[in-house]
Amino acid sequence: MTTLSTAGEAAETEPYTVTLAPGVHAYVQPDGGWCLNNAGFVSDGGRTLLIDTAATERRARLLRDAVTASGAPLPTMLVNTHHHGDHTYGNCVFTPGATVIGHADCRRETLAAGLQLHLAWPTVEYGDIEVTAPNLTYTDALTAHVGDIEVRLIHPGPAHTVGDTIVWLPQQGIVFTGDLVFNGGTPFVMMGSLSGSLHALEVLRGLDAHTVVPGHGRVTDPGVYDTVERYLRYVQDLARTSHAAGHTPLEAARRADLGEFAGLPESERLVANLHRAYAELDGLPLGAPLDLLTVLGDMMAMNGGRPIACHA
């Protein structure tokens, strides 16, 4: 069984490309912390489909260089697994040459969030970023073809966000999960759903992939689903007991014993995940907006009163 590893185990510090199958590559950005996401690309030598971009113009250009260094042409299709800026800010580096594809809610949230990372981390050098939302959207499922490679896009429902996309290559047994899976970092469901994330793991298991490209962290195998599920169940149980006891999410997080998850980076996400779990216990719809200032303030409190660091 694969377990979540700590970021300190990663020897690499620079982005690198992993060949997963003929024409299929993962692009990994260590250490996988805040704003250091993974991407991927699929190419038959004539056309290329890109999966996610990066948080800064510089990093998106490094991704573009990695695509061309593989011998693949620049992408004509670009899939966003969700709307967060580390996965979408670099879209503008690849347009208008690439059609940007995503779930309908991904488009809506990308436009609504605007320069979201600038607001959270205003001192980062993002470069020349123009918010570029998907201009081709779907609601349940969509299939693209890159030569003989079938690329299925699947919406699992509200999970990491309300507009997630799983990218599944059935012939190759490879799945790009977006941030439904963190390998080596704390899962994060603040903008989606705790129960929906558990459902998304069942959707992923049903695909029977042998290679898993998580949204953050090293390429791995389906054993990672078990560890992510254990963490989410832990949050769910903690939320139930703490909510019943009348503790706030911050009080619950401060009292919590993280056990096997204590070594994971971004542990401040626990309080954000508890806010989401409390919202669901209160009967709010899955993915209902939370008070972001309160949640972000609680995460900073859990981070020792220090602002959360963007690693991009």
Side-chain angles (χ1 to χ4, degrees), residues 57-82:
E57 181 186 8
R58 180 184 70 84
R59 287 184 174 274
R61 292 189 182 280
L62 288 174
L63 171 58
R64 187 177 67 179
D65 291 345
V67 172
T68 56
S70 76
L74 289 174
T76 55
M77 294 181 284
L78 193 173
V79 176
N80 285 146
T81 60
H82 60 290

Side-chain angles (χ1 to χ4, degrees), residues 104-115:
D105 288 340
C106 175
R107 172 179 168 83
R108 187 192 71 231
E109 295 297 321
T110 301
L111 294 172
L115 292 171

Side-chain angles (χ1 to χ4, degrees), residues 191-259:
M191 293 186 180
S193 168
L194 176 57
S195 59
S197 293
L198 289 166
H199 169 72
L201 289 174
E202 290 307 306
V203 174
L204 287 167
R205 286 189 175 106
L207 300 177
D208 199 26
H210 58 70
T211 301
V212 177
V213 183
H216 296 254
R218 293 180 175 185
V219 175
T220 184
D221 61 64
V224 73
Y225 303 154
D226 297 336
T227 314
V228 173
E229 180 176 359
R230 286 201 306 276
Y231 175 85
L232 295 176
R233 297 287 185 193
Y234 163 80
V235 174
Q236 193 173 57
D237 291 343
L238 177 62
R240 285 171 180 155
T241 57
S242 300
H243 187 272
H247 300 147
T248 67
L250 182 57
E251 289 169 342
R254 283 177 164 162
R255 291 167 178 258
D257 177 2
L258 282 168

Side-chain angles (χ1 to χ4, degrees), residues 80 82-84 88-89 91 103-116 119 130-135 137:
N80 285 146
H82 60 290
H83 75 276
H84 288 162
T88 62
Y89 259 28
N91 287 1
H103 188 267
D105 288 340
C106 175
R107 172 179 168 83
R108 187 192 71 231
E109 295 297 321
T110 301
L111 294 172
L115 292 171
Q116 52 190 282
L119 298 175
E130 180 180 350
V131 174
T132 307
N135 50 14
T137 63

Side-chain angles (χ1 to χ4, degrees), residues 88-99:
T88 62
Y89 259 28
N91 287 1
C92 58
V93 169
F94 297 92
T95 57
T99 297

